Amino acid sequence: MIKKKKVVIGFIGTQLDSGRGSGRWEKWRPTVALTQHEDIVIDRIDLLYSGQHELLLAQLEKDIADTSPETKVCAHQLDIQDPWDFEEVYGCLFDFARSYPFDTDKEEYWVHITTGTHVAQICLFLMTEASYLPGKLLQTSPPRRQTKANFGEMTIIDLDLSRYDQIAQRFSREQEEGVAFLKSGIATRNARFNTMIDEIERVAIKSKAAILLMGPTGAGKSFLARRIFELKKARHRLEGKFVEVNCATLRGDGAGSTLFGHIKGSFTGAMSDRPGLLRTAHKGLLFLDEIGELGLDEQAMLLKAVEEKRFFPVGGDHEVQSDFQLVAGTNRDLGKEVAAGRFREDLYARINLWSYELPGLSGRVEDIAPNIDYLLSQYSAENGQMVRFNKEAKDSYMEFATSPQAVWAGNFRDLSASVTRMATLADAGRINDQNASEEIKRLQRLWSYAQESGETNELDLHDYLDTEQLAQLDLFDAVQLQAVLAVCLRSKNMSEAGRKLFAASRSNKANPNDADRLKKYLNKFGLHWDGLRER
């Protein structure tokens, strides 16, 4: 095991560290005292300062060299104009932390909070508590009685102690920034989605366990996985790369080789060693999208890699290691896959500690407007032209986009493509009523094609009816029931499903009760709304 170097990060004490002549050695100076402890060797001190303190810095470097020649001093000048301005000090420290080459494998960091203004000390505490400075707090104090050995005492502070809770609770800005980062700054309004993102932010920062993202295709699983990686990277929780693979593209013998690597000559065509994606993701994040598509052999190998951080490459006799964070995505019900014998129960248990279901766009209609604003802003930045809706066009498009007729079969991919088309065809950067009307017709055609191609036929009626019931169903009734159930599963409640199913006929009724009509239809087959959601 490599012994880590000890690195101290802290401010120069313009008062406490000062002193001239031989008398300075009779005085307790916090920064110099760090190097006077015989049982602790400080390998490097990163001294932060602002203003004109070059003379004091030179004196400290000389005195530290005299007391501890093995200690290297590195000075960092920060552009702090007012050391008592909290926002300014925090901002400068934040920039310093972002640019600092932390190497937590080889170095152990102690953040010295004895020197500097009270504002600087508080900011150092917050930066360490939020893991922007990936180390422990170090507090030093003068000797309790005057002696020739004026190096005083050193205390490593445990941030988990309850006496620091009140301070930490006063500053929730880091968590709010983390949540906004995961949502790309989109002011989402769906309460369920916002609650889920709040929890994911806390889990991403505090936990190394696997995360399972569930939801339909296009719901944003891949996008969220990358944002989780970027958030963890910013907080120094990860050092490696983001590696993404869609397991649906892995087939046959190549699946094991792609994930776990292979040894030269292990099979026909293996002309050289291949590390595999798991090793590429060492100390980073591996996103396995559509993990339910993996074969049972690959699932067994993945389980060992997740639990033990080691595995055998294809054709290899020696284990290799890889310590990666796993995020898995699926549009399948893995519980049902386990029951059907298509997914390993032990692997499902291992990746299901933190599981989140991303709702489809039709279940987040209140978030369509802020996402459109985000997509238009993104398009404008990429193409160097501001694009906006005029009022009539936006009203028309939003009325359709949030209506039961908008099924959003491809979820956010459909929305992104739709906005891109309108922005591209807009004249002078203005999406007009004609652009919106043509796009609505295009979406309706696309979704009708998807339905005609048998998209709803993927739903298995065996999950809802017994064998005797199915035997009594005509093909016409079976196809109709499949379509009805598909709409029910995409809807938040029975009323919404009813509005979608009876959108045309309800306009001819004085007092339409769509939920009751749907309830009676389901009852014909012995089905109930709550039972559908539990399957």
Side-chain angles (χ1 to χ4, degrees):
M1 183 176 179
I2 300 176
K3 183 178 180 182
K4 293 185 179 182
K5 293 182 178 180
K6 289 184 173 60
V7 179
V8 173
I9 300 173
F11 279 90
I12 289 178
T14 56
Q15 299 298 322
L16 292 175
D17 283 334
S18 63
R20 295 184 179 181
S22 59
R24 70 184 185 278
W25 294 104
E26 304 299 323
K27 173 188 175 184
W28 176 70
R29 290 178 293 164
T31 302
V32 177
L34 291 171
T35 64
Q36 293 179 299
H37 293 261
E38 295 179 354
D39 57 337
I40 299 176
V41 176
I42 305 297
D43 296 281
R44 187 173 74 249
I45 299 179
D46 286 294
L47 281 178
L48 312 178
Y49 72 103
S50 61
Q52 304 299 319
H53 296 292
E54 285 78 8
L55 291 177
L56 175 57
L57 176 63
Q59 184 69 68
L60 288 175
E61 289 177 335
K62 180 179 182 303
D63 290 348
I64 289 173
D66 290 340
T67 59
S68 179
E70 60 268 46
T71 302
K72 179 181 179 181
V73 177
C74 296
H76 305 268
Q77 186 171 22
L78 305 183
D79 187 23
I80 300 175
Q81 304 300 317
D82 182 358
W84 295 97
D85 185 314
F86 182 92
E87 183 176 356
E88 182 180 354
V89 175
Y90 190 94
C92 288
L93 283 173
F94 187 88
D95 293 338
F96 165 79
R98 281 292 178 91
S99 62
Y100 189 96
F102 291 104
D103 187 350
T104 53
D105 280 342
K106 298 179 180 179
E107 297 179 338
E108 179 182 3
Y109 301 99
W110 292 350
V111 181
H112 193 199
I113 59 169
T114 301
T115 51
T117 63
H118 293 320
V119 170
Q121 293 170 8
I122 291 173
C123 289
L124 285 174
F125 169 88
L126 292 174
M127 297 286 289
T128 306
E129 196 271 343
S131 295
Y132 288 119
L133 296 173
K136 301 176 182 177
L137 293 179
L138 169 64
Q139 189 171 31
T140 57
S141 56
R144 296 183 180 181
R145 60 179 182 276
Q146 190 68 23
T147 64
K148 290 184 178 181
N150 285 326
F151 46 79
E153 299 179 358
M154 299 173 62
T155 304
I156 302 297
I157 299 176
D158 182 1
L159 286 176
D160 290 331
L161 293 179
S162 59
R163 65 174 180 268
Y164 296 104
D165 287 350
Q166 186 175 357
I167 300 174
Q169 289 171 4
R170 291 177 57 192
F171 301 95
S172 59
R173 180 176 176 181
E174 285 79 10
Q175 182 184 1
E176 294 171 359
E177 289 176 349
V179 169
F181 181 84
L182 289 177
K183 298 192 294 183
S184 294
I186 303 172
T188 54
R189 303 162 186 168
N190 183 274
R192 175 188 166 197
F193 179 77
N194 286 332
T195 299
M196 180 185 69
I197 293 297
D198 285 342
E199 183 172 307
I200 290 177
E201 189 272 344
R202 295 195 297 273
V203 171
I205 297 303
K206 297 180 181 180
S207 175
K208 295 182 179 180
I211 296 175
L212 177 62
L213 303 178
M214 302 175 292
T217 300
K221 298 185 292 293
S222 179
F223 177 80
L224 181 56
R226 181 174 286 277
R227 299 298 280 185
I228 290 172
F229 163 76
E230 292 170 351
L231 179 62
K232 292 176 78 74
K233 187 92 169 180
R235 301 293 181 89
H236 305 287
R237 299 296 185 181
L238 292 174
E239 300 172 20
K241 302 176 181 179
F242 176 80
V243 179
E244 177 179 2
V245 60
N246 188 324
C247 297
T249 65
L250 304 179
R251 289 290 183 269
D253 296 336
S257 174
T258 301
L259 291 175
F260 308 100
H262 64 243
I263 304 301
K264 178 181 178 181
S266 57
F267 55 86
T268 302
M271 306 302 292
S272 61
D273 290 351
R274 179 180 185 179
L277 295 180
L278 266 67
R279 272 195 281 178
T280 303
H282 179 57
K283 293 191 176 298
L285 188 146
L286 176 66
F287 176 52
L288 294 181
D289 198 10
E290 303 307 342
I291 193 173
E293 301 285 347
L294 272 184
L296 291 174
D297 290 343
E298 288 75 32
Q299 292 177 31
M301 296 172 69
L302 178 62
L303 176 63
K304 178 179 176 65
V306 172
E307 289 185 336
E308 303 178 13
K309 307 300 181 185
R310 62 180 189 269
F311 52 90
F312 289 97
V314 175
D317 296 326
H318 302 285
E319 289 183 326
V320 295
Q321 293 185 335
S322 181
D323 186 4
F324 57 88
Q325 165 89 52
L326 176 65
V327 175
T330 183
N331 63 5
R332 296 187 176 189
D333 185 333
L334 291 186
K336 289 185 178 180
E337 295 296 295
V338 169
R342 293 187 292 265
F343 200 84
R344 292 181 62 99
E345 184 176 6
D346 47 7
L347 177 59
Y348 180 53
R350 193 68 178 78
I351 66 175
N352 197 35
L353 175 61
W354 299 108
S355 59
Y356 301 96
E357 184 170 1
L358 276 64
L361 187 57
S362 60
R364 291 174 54 191
V365 291
E366 61 269 62
D367 287 343
I368 291 177
N371 273 279
I372 289 175
D373 292 341
Y374 169 76
L375 291 167
L376 283 177
S377 175
Q378 193 176 49
Y379 179 91
S380 299
E382 291 174 354
N383 293 276
Q385 180 188 18
M386 185 71 72
V387 179
R388 290 288 183 269
F389 279 93
N390 66 30
K391 186 178 185 306
E392 293 78 9
K394 188 166 188 178
D395 289 345
S396 173
Y397 186 80
M398 286 302 301
E399 182 180 2
F400 169 75
T402 58
S403 72
Q405 286 74 37
V407 298
W408 296 114
N411 295 294
F412 287 92
R413 291 178 185 171
D414 277 0
L415 182 63
S416 177
S418 177
V419 172
T420 299
R421 286 191 292 264
M422 288 188 291
T424 302
L425 296 173
D427 292 327
R430 300 295 289 179
I431 299 173
N432 58 35
D433 196 44
Q434 181 180 355
N435 298 138
S437 177
E438 291 175 351
E439 179 57 28
I440 290 171
K441 292 177 182 177
R442 183 182 287 108
L443 288 172
Q444 289 173 326
R445 287 196 304 271
L446 289 173
W447 292 332
S448 66
Y449 294 155
Q451 291 173 344
E452 289 171 5
S453 68
E455 180 180 288
T456 58
N457 289 337
E458 296 178 1
L459 189 147
D460 191 349
L461 290 180
H462 287 85
D463 293 334
Y464 300 89
L465 304 178
D466 58 34
T467 305
E468 184 177 346
Q469 286 176 300
L470 287 171
Q472 297 175 2
L473 274 186
D474 289 332
L475 177 61
F476 175 87
D477 293 323
V479 172
Q480 184 183 60
L481 180 58
Q482 280 181 319
V484 170
L485 292 177
V487 172
C488 290
L489 295 177
R490 292 198 303 265
S491 304
K492 291 185 294 187
N493 51 52
M494 192 182 298
S495 295
E496 180 183 314
R499 287 194 299 273
K500 293 178 182 178
L501 290 166
F502 307 115
S505 61
R506 72 191 305 268
S507 61
N508 299 322
K509 295 181 179 294
N511 297 299
N513 190 337
D514 304 317
D516 186 61
R517 292 177 69 185
L518 176 57
K519 180 180 179 181
K520 291 176 179 177
Y521 176 82
L522 294 174
N523 284 342
K524 290 196 320 183
F525 304 96
L527 298 173
H528 304 280
W529 176 263
D530 292 337
L532 298 181
R533 317 302 293 180
E534 295 171 359
R535 292 174 190 267

